[in-house]
Amino acid sequence: MSDNHQENYQIETKCIQSGWHPKNGEPRVLPIYQSTTFKYDTSDQMGRLFDLEEAGYFYTRLQNPTNDAVAAKIADLEGGVAAMLTSSGQAANYFAVFNICEAGDHVVASNSIYGGTFNLLGTTLKKQGIECTFVDPDASEEEINAAFRPNTKAMFGETIANPSCVVLDIEKMAKIAHAHGVPLIIDNTFATPINCRPFEWGADIVTHSTTKYMDGHAMSVGGCIVDSGNFDWEAYGDKFAGLTRPDESYHGIIYTQKFGKLAYIEKATAQLMRDLGSIPSPMNTFLLNVGLETLHLRVPRHCENALKVAKFLEQHEKVAWVKYPGLESNPYHALAQKYMPDGTCGVMAFGLKGGREISISFMDHLKLVAIVTHVADARTCVLHPASHTHRQMTDEQLLEAGIAPDLIRLSVGIENADDIIADLSQALECI
């Protein structure tokens, strides 16, 4: 849950202080509760936990003090009422949707999203009976409205799309979703709550791959789901029966009645984490927390460096195009200024004159900048999505998602910007 008694703190302070509140004589630094189980003196004490009559710890798959403290910190950073950590960002997106969808339901999603999430929504969930219609996020409200059906249960998008760098018009999407009585789920991984808090623009649920900027050092994979507490599930009780009707697997508990604004996260924990078990290890969560403590310092440096790099690339004769919302020439610059006035992220996309093979040759000549699958950590890295993260997509799907075959995804780190530019420059001279 969020640290409501600290809601007046600035976000920089929350990065450090939220989540873990040691009592007299307890560790100042968040401890690693590296235990699967927790002891009780009587059977009745543990029984009340299994009945959801009391809060407490009995098995780390459901709750762990280290994990709960960090979930509370992220909820506080996003301005939500509660959060749940998962073992990866993919698990977070899956749980966020599956918590309110079942076989026979439908989802509307932006087509400008990470390839793994595109596959999750379009292929894997389809095998479970949940269909997804992908829409162009820049389409008119009328066009997007046409994608909704009576059985639509959620709308999904990314604040800044990976890797096309499309900036989502969150207010527009929230208006559309709410007109159809469904929540808007936003993956806020690239912007982070330092640069954008989607709840302030009408989003209902936020997800993160904490593997990226939140961890910040490429040490631990993880994810998070945060609930704003603002969506009125009871107003659409028949549509969201899993939250508003008795859960026979938990003695007939009705989540909205028993937990109020915490219903969504409580259900995700009590049902999905119980049955599917995609939990982070307390050790990984400890490392995540170390990263969160400097998030407010690192994100501005990523953005500062990225803007310098983007301007360098934009002016280079061998570069065909650059997509970075921080550039004034970018078509999403105005949206970026609205939703992220302090900066967007450190990730950009660009292509080189000569096409796909030239792009691959360029990457092979880099020295400081590494070719890795990862993105959004302290070290500058590069990737060719069509050959790597999005290789499961057809050329037609790639183009629909805004990914050209020559697209290079560059994640600018927090090294000295001149050193990054020098490496890019020497690699460009080699092609």
Side-chain angles (χ1 to χ4, degrees), residues 207-238:
T207 62
H208 284 277
S209 170
T210 62
T211 318
K212 310 305 189 298
Y213 288 120
M214 285 187 165
D215 172 278
H217 302 86
M219 293 189 296
S220 59
V221 174
C224 187
I225 308 169
V226 187
D227 182 19
S228 67
N230 294 332
F231 193 82
D232 189 352
W233 308 106
E234 289 280 359
Y236 307 96
D238 291 338

Side-chain angles (χ1 to χ4, degrees), residues 35-338:
S35 179
T36 61
T37 42
F38 301 83
K39 176 189 175 294
Y40 288 87
D41 291 333
T42 70
S43 175
D44 184 59
Q45 286 175 325
M46 184 173 285
R48 288 197 295 271
L49 299 179
F50 275 95
D51 285 344
L52 303 183
E53 292 298 329
E54 290 183 10
Y57 302 99
F58 53 91
Y59 200 59
T60 284
R61 186 173 78 241
L62 291 169
Q63 287 175 307
N64 174 283
T66 306
N67 293 351
D68 283 2
V70 177
K73 175 177 285 189
I74 296 174
D76 206 21
L77 292 175
E78 284 287 7
V81 296
M84 181 180 79
L85 298 186
T86 60
S87 58
S88 70
Q90 281 292 87
N93 284 335
Y94 175 54
F95 280 19
V97 172
F98 197 54
N99 199 36
I100 49 176
C101 292
E102 59 186 46
D105 288 341
H106 176 251
V107 177
V108 174
S110 164
N111 62 14
S112 295
I113 55 176
Y114 167 58
T117 311
F118 188 97
N119 199 64
L120 168 69
L121 297 174
T123 302
T124 302
L125 282 178
K126 187 174 183 180
K127 294 175 182 177
Q128 298 180 342
I130 300 168
E131 291 193 29
C132 181
T133 299
F134 293 98
V135 297
D136 180 349
D138 298 329
S140 67
E141 289 188 25
E142 290 73 20
E143 288 176 285
I144 297 173
N145 277 320
F148 283 78
R149 306 173 186 173
N151 61 335
T152 304
K153 297 292 182 67
M155 190 177 194
F156 183 92
E158 293 178 357
T159 313
I160 306 171
N162 176 9
S164 61
C165 295
V166 169
V167 176
L168 194 73
D169 190 340
I170 303 172
E171 273 192 321
K172 179 179 85 170
M173 293 302 189
K175 177 184 176 184
I176 293 169
H178 296 158
H180 293 276
V182 304
L184 174 62
I185 304 172
I186 297 287
D187 184 331
N188 196 35
T189 296
F190 273 10
T192 83
I194 301 301
N195 282 345
C196 183
R197 283 170 291 282
F199 295 153
E200 296 174 2
W201 301 100
D204 301 290
I205 296 155
V206 158
T207 62
H208 284 277
S209 170
T210 62
T211 318
K212 310 305 189 298
Y213 288 120
M214 285 187 165
D215 172 278
H217 302 86
M219 293 189 296
S220 59
V221 174
C224 187
I225 308 169
V226 187
D227 182 19
S228 67
N230 294 332
F231 193 82
D232 189 352
W233 308 106
E234 289 280 359
Y236 307 96
D238 291 338
K239 185 177 288 187
F240 301 104
L243 284 159
T244 63
R245 301 290 183 267
D247 177 5
E248 298 307 328
S249 73
Y250 259 117
H251 315 294
I253 280 175
I254 299 174
Y255 292 98
T256 51
Q257 291 184 11
K258 188 168 184 65
F259 299 108
K261 289 183 177 293
L262 306 180
Y264 177 88
I265 293 296
E266 289 286 348
K267 177 182 179 292
T269 304
Q271 283 187 0
L272 302 187
M273 199 59 86
R274 174 195 65 188
D275 296 343
L276 300 175
S278 298
I279 60 164
S281 73
M283 181 70 211
N284 277 4
T285 301
F286 173 84
L287 295 172
L288 166 59
N289 189 56
V290 174
L292 285 169
E293 290 183 350
T294 60
L295 185 66
H296 63 292
L297 299 174
R298 290 182 288 102
V299 167
R301 180 60 177 265
H302 280 288
C303 295
E304 176 189 333
N305 280 357
L307 186 57
K308 291 178 182 177
V309 170
K311 288 179 176 178
F312 161 77
L313 290 171
E314 189 176 42
Q315 295 164 4
H316 200 284
E317 60 180 8
K318 294 186 179 181
V319 176
W321 54 270
V322 182
K323 291 183 179 179
Y324 184 65
L327 291 171
E328 292 183 9
S329 59
N330 187 272
Y332 296 99
H333 184 70
L335 276 180
Q337 288 293 103
K338 173 181 177 178

